[in-house]
Amino acid sequence: QVQLVESGGGLVQPGGSLTLSCAASRSIASFYDVGWYRQAPGEQREFVAKLRGGTMEYGGSTGGRFEISRDIAKNTVDLQMSNLSPDDTAVYYCYGRISPDSSGYWGQGTQVTVSS
């Protein structure tokens, strides 16, 4: 069983920055792909960003403001978010797949609130 644990969420003012981290119970390098989704109240879960090998992919809502990276030493996948707006308020979930045919694993989520 793979466990993913998110951290780094919190309250930030509009225009501010925040970095989320996702720690895995197995080597991050062993994942087929790993990344982030988010879900705002009353909305469907939305794709944010993912890493597959050396390739990064971003959802349309990030607008070039988010950057996903992998820290091999810490065994985490990080999401650096900048120029945040209230529309970015959501629970952010880490996910990862061991193979393209697997259903994937999810973390419990971390709340990000952008408000003045």
Side-chain angles (χ1 to χ4, degrees):
Q1 185 73 12
V2 176
Q3 291 185 330
L4 300 172
V5 179
E6 303 95 337
S7 63
L11 175 64
V12 62
Q13 291 188 342
S17 300
L18 206 59
T19 298
L20 306 181
S21 288
C22 172
S25 59
R26 61 182 286 166
S27 171
I28 286 290
S30 69
F31 283 82
Y32 170 73
D33 61 8
V34 62
W36 295 87
Y37 280 73
R38 70 185 184 184
Q39 188 167 18
E43 302 289 334
Q44 291 188 338
R45 196 166 291 190
E46 174 189 29
F47 168 70
V48 175
K50 70 177 176 183
L51 277 170
R52 182 181 299 168
T55 302
M56 296 173 284
E57 184 178 336
Y58 295 93
S61 61
T62 63
R65 300 174 296 122
F66 294 4
E67 182 177 354
I68 189 170
S69 62
R70 181 170 49 195
D71 190 324
I72 299 298
K74 295 181 180 179
N75 200 41
T76 61
V77 174
D78 300 331
L79 184 69
Q80 294 177 285
M81 307 183 293
S82 61
N83 195 22
L84 289 163
S85 77
D87 289 340
D88 296 312
T89 295
V91 177
Y92 284 70
Y93 297 91
C94 179
Y95 91 100
R97 290 189 296 172
I98 304 304
S99 72
D101 299 326
S102 66
S103 58
Y105 299 91
W106 292 88
Q108 293 297 309
T110 185
Q111 176 71 47
V112 172
T113 302
V114 184
S115 175
S116 55

